[in-house]
Amino acid sequence: MNAARRTCARAVLAALLVVFAAPLAAQVDALWTAPLERLHAGGPPIAAYRGRPMIVNFWARWCVPCREEFPMLASLHERRAGAGLAVVGVALDDNLANTREFADVYDIRYPGFVATDGGVGLLEALGNELAVVPYTMAVARDGRVLLRKLGPIARDELEALADRALAAP
């Protein structure tokens, strides 16, 4: 079994098992300092989102469940940006040009970044020890990770994460 299939199989298994609350002290410091490329040329750096409630979704081009989440994330971004919620995607890929082209094809219309180096280490630092995608986090204004979801996320789960992020101090 090739590496992509193994990773996808781990993601499916994880999706069946995991929706969990993060420790209250968990911080997203690793996200602010990660060497992330901007998915959309001219967009703000990831650190510009510090201090805002956030939904952060990690994905990869080869991940079919990730592709199914894009429209929900775009809709959430459009509906909740006025309330202050930042919806941010982070792609795990070593080819920035291919990821940008993919984002255009799939009409990813929310802020995005590409972890061309160290993506697996970033996932692990943010509590995803299996380093599988999709992986979604709700982050409070003060940087606490409120909730994490490993594996595909349903619309109602995504809305609950957004509500939680917006309600937290």
Side-chain angles (χ1 to χ4, degrees), residues 47-97:
Y49 297 96
R50 187 189 300 247
R52 291 183 60 187
M54 297 176 61
I55 299 298
V56 183
N57 175 264
F58 291 86
W59 59 276
R61 287 184 295 146
W62 51 261
C63 173
V64 174
C66 298
R67 295 175 187 185
E68 295 168 356
E69 293 177 348
F70 297 151
M72 289 187 304
L73 292 161
S75 173
L76 184 67
H77 168 68
E78 291 167 6
R79 289 181 293 104
R80 301 283 192 105
L85 182 71
V87 177
V88 175
V90 179
L92 304 179
D93 202 315
D94 58 1
N95 189 311
L96 180 60

Side-chain angles (χ1 to χ4, degrees), residues 28 30-38 43-51 54 56 88-90 111-113:
V28 292
L31 187 62
W32 310 132
T33 59
L36 300 175
E37 300 286 341
R38 294 176 182 119
I46 189 69
Y49 297 96
R50 187 189 300 247
M54 297 176 61
V56 183
V88 175
V90 179
F113 300 89

Side-chain angles (χ1 to χ4, degrees), residues 7 11 27 33 100 108 155 166:
T7 303
Q27 299 293 315
T33 59
R100 284 181 170 160
I108 298 174
R155 184 174 305 278
L166 284 166

Side-chain angles (χ1 to χ4, degrees), residues 15 18-20 55 69 72 76 136 138 147-164:
V18 183
V19 174
F20 52 93
I55 299 298
E69 293 177 348
M72 289 187 304
L76 184 67
T136 307
L147 293 169
R148 300 176 286 176
K149 168 69 187 230
L150 186 61
I153 194 163
R155 184 174 305 278
D156 60 335
E157 292 174 308
L158 187 58
E159 292 294 334
L161 289 179
D163 291 343
R164 181 89 182 261

